[in-house]
Amino acid sequence: NDGIGLARLEFVINNAIGVHPKALLNYDTIDASTKALIDEKMKGYSSPKEFYTQKIVEGVATLAASVYPKRIIVRLSDFKSNEYKSLIGGEQYEPDEENPMIGFR
């Protein structure tokens, strides 16, 4: 094997984190039911920011370790709004779009 030619960061965000980034940034002001879901996901982490960053680190490090010393190319997230909307808290931050491929962002 030659390493990993394209590791997609959105897989780490979707599978290991599962929470909209803005819900984590606005943790102190989100509703109680969303906060409870986030609390369950981030057990063992001291803050929402630490949870997010450490999960990114853990995910990329796990992928890199699986092919070490070969290379890994990590693509930053290119989530569409509908994909972000499906994360915990995403309903509060993402619009309904007729065609998310065109992009709200």
Side-chain angles (χ1 to χ4, degrees):
N1 109 23
D2 292 327
I4 299 176
L6 181 60
R8 298 176 62 197
L9 197 57
E10 57 263 27
F11 288 142
V12 174
I13 295 168
N14 194 35
N15 296 316
I17 298 171
V19 180
H20 194 286
K22 284 188 177 182
L24 293 170
L25 288 173
N26 298 319
Y27 178 80
D28 293 334
T29 61
I30 59 173
D31 64 271
S33 61
T34 303
K35 191 177 280 190
L37 293 171
I38 293 172
D39 287 345
E40 186 64 31
K41 290 287 245 175
M42 62 178 233
K43 278 185 181 175
Y45 294 88
S46 64
S47 71
K49 289 180 184 179
E50 187 215 356
F51 165 70
Y52 189 87
T53 56
Q54 287 304 308
K55 284 294 191 181
I56 296 287
V57 169
E58 293 165 14
V60 173
T62 299
L63 291 169
S66 74
V67 296
Y68 180 82
K70 297 186 175 139
R71 293 172 46 136
I72 174 175
I73 297 170
V74 178
R75 181 179 74 187
L76 300 180
S77 174
D78 70 343
F79 264 3
K80 314 308 178 274
S81 62
N82 63 318
E83 294 166 316
Y84 271 119
K85 191 172 190 168
S86 69
L87 299 172
I88 294 169
E91 290 279 336
Q92 299 173 38
Y93 299 102
E94 300 300 333
D96 286 320
E97 292 186 87
E98 191 172 317
N99 185 351
M101 293 300 290
I102 293 173
F104 175 74
R105 303 186 189 289

